[in-house]
Amino acid sequence: MLMESGLAPPLAGLIAGTAMGYVARRYHFCTMSALERRWYAGDDNGLRAWGLAIMVAIVLSQALALAGLFEPRQSFYLSPSFGWTGAILGGIAFGFGMALVGTCGFGALVRLGGGSLRGLVVVVILGLSALAAQRGVVAIGRVAIVDSQAYDLTTLGSPDQSLGSLVSAIAGRDLSFPVAVLVVALLGSWIFKSSAFRHDYGRIIAGVGIGAVVAFGWAATSWIAARSFVPVQIESASFVMPPGDLILQLIAVTGTLPDYGVGLVLGVVVGAAASAVQRHDVRWEACDDARELSRHLAGATLMGIGGVFSLGCTIGQGISAASLLTISAPIVLISIAIGARLGLAYILEGSVRYAFSRIERGPAE
């Protein structure tokens, strides 16, 4: 019945989102916070938890692919057309917006689950600006800046933009598996090099949980697509277009059924709310003044547009795309980090000129 009605994708997304929201709220999984603590306190544990999520997602996603339960090339992240301008410019815009808001789209949903009306403002504006960049007037600029400048990787002999495929094309033989093993080994050695992180069980649980949910997304949508009577997009966690799709579902009859991403967005709020209620951590919050509100509006707009240009956010590119070893993921992540540093310099130090000056850090763990 679920397959026939088309409700299976949003239901799977709701389950996955609930798990993500609960874990993120319970164990404070936040990309912006991780970057701030690295730059201003010398604490790498948040970034290591993020790295662990990527590592777990890679291991499980590649295992699914080897078992024939998931075909990575069905994901739009592995398109042979690489929008390098969007990855860089969109990533920087997203990171700057993230700094203005204090969190990313996923973090805003987690905050909303705990009673933050600022999170609601961010999610709504992010969703609307993403729609404008994907289907509205801003899309004209996107086509000119990103789509028309995309590089066709088939000219290098690679069928997609995964690192394994590119290395295999250059080497003349299939090296996808050794490349994946090498990436996982390098990530693991850096993540668990820190004694402080090895004893930070909460962050370890967060990293493993978020990474496992990303792999679940690939498996769930693949399984549903193979059995559904309606087209199902193969996707995992992302928080740029899904908020916009949810808005459309709420206010208009689009003729399309809710997808996995819509269920995921709702699930994150539900999971975060469950954690907040369990820990007596529900606090109704709003912007303190017009200046803070304007900063959130501007930041959410930059995240929505930047996320569409870069084809993902800190979760979409940072973990979901990274789990497929795309070359876009590290480029977008570095660009987001640059944008976030520029944004923090603007907010905390008065000018972006100080973005890459020496940062006073606390002692490293």
Side-chain angles (χ1 to χ4, degrees):
M1 180 64 71
L2 285 175
M3 296 299 179
E4 295 176 2
S5 65
L7 293 178
L11 180 59
L14 181 67
I15 294 170
T18 300
M20 286 189 78
Y22 182 88
V23 168
R25 180 91 189 180
R26 174 66 179 81
Y27 298 107
H28 309 291
F29 186 91
C30 175
T31 306
M32 189 66 231
S33 174
L35 290 172
E36 284 187 278
R37 289 196 61 77
R38 173 66 188 90
W39 289 328
Y40 293 99
D43 180 5
D44 285 334
N45 280 7
L47 287 180
R48 292 179 195 274
W50 195 24
L52 180 58
I54 295 173
M55 188 186 80
V56 170
I58 291 174
V59 171
L60 295 180
S61 299
Q62 298 300 317
L64 288 170
L66 287 173
L69 300 176
F70 161 52
E71 174 47 63
R73 286 177 187 163
Q74 291 182 341
S75 164
F76 68 88
Y77 288 123
L78 286 182
S79 166
S81 180
F82 174 43
W84 63 276
T85 53
I88 297 171
L89 298 177
I92 292 173
F94 187 95
F96 197 96
M98 186 172 71
L100 293 180
V101 169
T103 189
C104 61
F106 174 62
L109 289 167
V110 173
R111 288 182 176 182
L112 176 58
S116 173
L117 299 180
R118 289 175 295 181
L120 177 61
V121 169
V122 169
V123 171
V124 171
I125 300 303
L126 186 155
L128 291 175
S129 58
L131 287 172
Q134 180 68 24
R135 310 175 191 178
V137 65
V138 184
I140 299 172
R142 175 181 57 79
V143 171
I145 296 172
V146 181
D147 296 359
S148 65
Q149 304 300 319
Y151 184 79
D152 185 0
L153 293 171
T154 58
T155 59
L156 299 178
S158 176
D160 55 57
Q161 58 175 282
S162 72
L163 181 60
S165 294
L166 284 168
V167 172
S168 297
I170 294 170
R173 55 176 177 169
D174 187 7
L175 295 176
S176 299
F177 184 73
V179 167
V181 171
L182 177 61
V183 171
V184 169
L186 291 174
L187 265 175
S189 64
W190 172 72
I191 292 165
F192 293 106
K193 180 181 179 180
S194 167
S195 174
F197 182 77
R198 292 197 301 270
H199 293 86
D200 193 340
Y201 302 116
R203 295 194 186 276
I204 291 175
I205 291 172
V208 171
I210 298 294
V213 171
V214 167
F216 169 83
W218 299 129
T221 54
S222 296
W223 187 86
I224 294 169
R227 293 161 177 79
S228 177
F229 294 97
V230 296
V232 174
Q233 178 174 307
I234 306 303
E235 59 183 315
S236 188
S238 184
F239 299 94
V240 179
M241 279 308 300
D245 292 335
L246 174 59
I247 291 171
L248 281 182
Q249 291 289 339
L250 291 174
I251 66 174
V253 178
T254 63
T256 60
L257 294 170
D259 61 7
Y260 180 86
V262 170
L264 191 76
V265 168
L266 292 172
V268 169
V269 178
V270 171
S275 175
V277 170
Q278 183 185 55
R279 297 174 62 81
H280 306 288
D281 191 32
V282 177
R283 296 187 300 272
W284 293 107
E285 300 174 335
C287 294
D288 294 331
D289 52 32
R291 183 178 181 182
E292 184 180 22
L293 176 60
S294 64
R295 193 171 70 242
H296 279 68
L297 293 175
T301 301
L302 285 172
M303 285 197 291
I305 295 174
V308 170
F309 276 42
S310 62
L311 292 181
C313 55
T314 53
I315 301 295
Q317 280 284 354
I319 303 179
S320 295
S323 73
L324 308 182
L325 298 176
T326 66
I327 60 170
S328 64
I331 294 174
V332 173
L333 287 178
I334 291 171
S335 299
I336 288 176
I338 292 172
R341 184 67 196 102
L342 289 168
L344 286 174
Y346 174 74
I347 295 171
L348 302 179
E349 298 164 51
S351 173
V352 296
R353 293 181 303 166
Y354 303 109
F356 302 105
S357 59
R358 187 173 182 274
I359 303 171
E360 294 297 329
R361 298 186 180 92
E365 293 287 342

